[in-house]
Amino acid sequence: MGRRLLFVPLPFQGHINPMFHLASLLHSRGFAITIFHTHFNSPDPDNYPKSYRFIPVPDNLSDTVRSTKDGVAHIHALNKSCQASFRDILGELLSSEEESVACVIFDAHWYALQAVAKKLGVATMVLRTGNATSFNLFMAFPLLLEKGYLPIQESQLDAFVSELPPLRVKDLPRLMITTSLESYAELLARGVEQVRTSSGLILNTFDSIESSELDQIKRDLSIPIYPIGPLHKLSTQAQTQSSLLAPDQSCMAWLDSQAPKSVIYVSFGSLAFMDPNELVEIAWGLANSGLPFLWVVRPNLVHGSDRIELPKWFEEETHGRGRVVPWAPQPEVLSHPAVGGFWTHCGWNSTLEAICEGVPMLCRPFFGDQTGNARYVSHVWKVGIVLEGKVERGRIERAIKTLIVEREGDEMRERMADLKAKAAQCIMAGGSSYLAVDNLADSILALQT
Ligand code: UDP
């Protein structure tokens, strides 16, 4: 019986982390692991168990594509350029493998590879690294276009999207300026198509936070779904193992010296970028709040730069009160008792990591599913506030104080404690995600019989 699984992560941090956690989880259930990876953002095999096999799939991407800020165009280009090499490499592997392959597990955005795997006769499953809500949105996208919710009109921002409650028009995905709506719609449609033709959809979410959204997916799909999140809590792999940038561990010692729940942790994930003025407004907001902070300033956080120097006054104003790092060991930071709030872009991994550690959020979504996630954080779970409008120092200062020192922040923290408990329950023996993992492992083994 084949117990080897092939994993094909999409080479971006927010997709790599959950896919490697899934690999680690299934490895602990006795499956052998092979990772197909691109040259772009390739993993370091030394960070993983020796038994993992790593097989490069040449991506042949031009430097222009590699450095584009248009993530959607980048994903289309990857699909196009990897399809032929994927076919050759997978074909060779399937014909030579002594131990048979049980299944290939793709990221939902590797749409062009699914058909290839099917043709070669191997079973496939799809991991959607976002939540159930965003997958419902993928499925509803053609309808949203047809009904005129999209493209988003300024005059309609507060209108409700009756097909996807509680989202409003302004919670629908915002696109980067260089991305066309057609190109985005195609990405989503092809992702949904590949899910429908696979043997199962795996989701990094859990039943008690998105039960009606999961029911909706079950109604719309005729394949099994496996809500097995939070994956980073179920896997035994440390998240730093799949980090593309080296996390600055020294911030943990600094956190040790701070009072409980006093620090605002600020990070906008791996892809979001801003203009230089926004960076300066954030710096002023943090300085004027008078509160301790840990701020992740990635080398490419500001549009058009690959090295950022903060203004000199910032160091003087905040001396001893804050830390700026290029990359943090985020789940560890969020679990530190000194952290009282998380200013986030609301990427799904970051949102889930905050929920698991019970840290309330200040949300500033940038693009894609982040706006919808922010709506759930602020409106459904009521564990965060959204920073709307222009990024401006006064607003930032007030929002940070609300989250860290005011009663409103404490109330959100209390509700967060409930969510944290639910996240912990679902992965315990008999919990919904625990059972879904059992179900997934059994289903994979049954695929070949
Ligand atoms: N992350 C990290 N250190 C940082 C910032 C982010 O380890 O300084 C990790 C974070 O824990 C999460 C991932 O990078 O797992 C970002 O994924 P997310 O979905 O939140 O956002 P994306 O980067 O895809 O926009």
Side-chain angles (χ1 to χ4, degrees):
M1 189 182 291
R3 292 186 72 91
R4 179 161 293 278
L5 302 177
L6 308 187
F7 290 83
V8 195
L10 193 76
F12 299 99
Q13 190 71 76
H15 294 253
I16 290 171
N17 288 351
M19 187 64 97
F20 273 98
H21 285 310
L22 177 62
S24 157
L25 173 60
L26 291 171
H27 186 233
S28 70
R29 298 287 183 120
F31 289 95
I33 307 297
T34 296
I35 308 284
F36 274 20
H37 64 88
T38 53
H39 289 299
F40 173 73
N41 282 346
S42 62
D44 179 353
D46 288 345
N47 289 344
Y48 299 94
K50 290 276 167 286
S51 64
Y52 280 25
R53 280 191 211 158
F54 285 84
I55 302 184
V57 178
D59 53 47
N60 304 314
L61 289 183
S62 68
D63 286 346
T64 324
V65 174
R66 278 167 175 258
S67 58
T68 180
K69 288 281 180 198
D70 182 342
V72 173
H74 200 157
I75 297 173
H76 282 308
L78 277 165
N79 272 284
K80 208 167 160 197
S81 65
C82 290
Q83 196 177 27
S85 23
F86 177 78
R87 180 184 306 119
D88 296 346
I89 293 170
L90 181 62
E92 203 177 306
L93 189 89
L94 292 174
S95 58
S96 71
E97 193 74 53
E98 281 164 22
E99 186 183 12
S100 71
V101 171
C103 183
V104 187
I105 301 183
F106 292 106
D107 187 285
H109 288 322
W110 270 128
Y111 58 79
L113 309 190
Q114 156 92 359
V116 174
K118 285 248 136 189
K119 238 187 186 154
L120 291 169
V122 62
T124 62
M125 288 209 186
V126 177
L127 169 67
R128 170 61 195 143
T129 57
N131 57 8
T133 303
S134 81
F135 193 73
N136 278 321
L137 192 137
F138 282 19
M139 290 196 285
F141 213 75
L143 186 69
L144 300 181
L145 286 166
E146 192 187 306
K147 292 210 164 178
Y149 292 111
L150 296 164
I152 292 176
Q153 311 288 330
E154 284 296 309
S155 59
Q156 293 293 308
L157 288 178
D158 289 311
F160 282 94
V161 179
S162 53
E163 292 77 6
L164 288 173
L167 299 188
R168 301 155 301 178
V169 168
K170 64 173 156 193
D171 306 316
L172 296 177
R174 235 178 272 155
L175 302 184
M176 292 197 189
I177 197 114
T178 46
T179 305
S180 76
L181 194 55
E182 290 69 32
S183 165
Y184 190 60
E186 186 195 344
L187 179 69
L188 304 192
R190 299 197 66 177
V192 171
E193 186 188 304
Q194 87 146 330
V195 167
R196 288 190 193 282
T197 53
S198 74
S199 299
L201 171 64
I202 304 164
L203 286 152
N204 189 16
T205 187
F206 57 100
D207 192 62
S208 45
I209 52 168
E210 286 199 290
S211 79
S212 60
E213 292 76 6
L214 286 164
D215 286 344
Q216 180 68 45
I217 298 182
K218 283 180 206 151
R219 278 195 295 276
D220 288 355
L221 289 183
S222 50
I223 54 159
I225 71 164
Y226 306 94
I228 59 169
L231 275 166
H232 71 289
K233 287 288 183 189
L234 276 159
S235 100
T236 50
Q237 181 210 292
Q239 186 133 298
T240 46
Q241 289 173 247
S242 54
S243 256
L244 295 168
L245 294 173
D248 181 330
Q249 294 288 350
S250 70
C251 61
M252 298 309 294
W254 177 80
L255 284 172
D256 287 343
S257 67
Q258 304 300 312
K261 308 216 181 310
S262 65
V263 175
I264 174 93
Y265 168 59
V266 186
S267 169
F268 305 115
S270 61
L271 297 171
F273 57 90
M274 55 187 62
D275 67 41
N277 295 339
E278 289 176 312
L279 188 86
V280 170
E281 289 303 311
I282 294 174
W284 272 117
L286 289 171
N288 294 345
S289 75
L291 294 167
F293 62 86
L294 172 61
W295 184 13
V296 177
V297 179
R298 273 188 355 252
N300 58 356
L301 181 62
V302 167
H303 188 43
S305 88
D306 48 21
R307 190 164 165 273
I308 295 171
E309 281 194 37
L310 289 165
K312 223 178 159 68
W313 60 260
F314 181 69
E315 164 60 21
E316 287 157 13
E317 288 277 331
T318 63
H319 189 69
R321 182 160 59 79
R323 281 299 294 266
V324 176
V325 294
W327 195 248
Q330 183 162 299
E332 282 174 63
V333 166
L334 288 168
S335 68
H336 195 287
V339 173
F342 180 16
W343 182 2
T344 170
H345 67 310
C346 278
W348 180 241
N349 294 290
S350 295
T351 305
L352 206 48
E353 288 159 16
I355 288 174
C356 289
E357 305 309 335
V359 180
M361 288 172 256
L362 173 57
C363 310
R364 177 81 193 174
F366 285 69
F367 57 82
D369 61 354
Q370 297 157 14
T371 39
N373 297 341
R375 175 70 168 160
Y376 271 71
V377 169
S378 61
H379 181 82
V380 179
W381 306 315
K382 298 185 169 56
V383 292
I385 41 179
V386 181
L387 188 63
E388 291 199 81
K390 210 166 168 286
V391 178
E392 188 267 323
R393 62 191 75 178
R395 252 190 221 153
I396 295 171
E397 180 188 342
R398 279 191 298 281
I400 292 175
K401 284 181 174 159
T402 303
L403 198 66
I404 304 287
V405 290
E406 287 172 13
R407 177 84 204 116
E408 202 182 327
D410 286 340
E411 287 165 3
M412 287 188 272
R413 205 163 286 111
E414 280 162 25
R415 286 190 286 271
M416 247 315 193
D418 286 344
L419 278 194
K420 178 181 172 174
K422 285 181 178 158
Q425 270 159 16
C426 79
I427 57 173
M428 285 186 327
S432 63
S433 294
Y434 183 96
L435 294 174
V437 176
D438 282 349
N439 190 9
L440 173 64
D442 291 347
S443 307
I444 291 173
L445 290 173
L447 283 172
Q448 336 140 65
T449 52

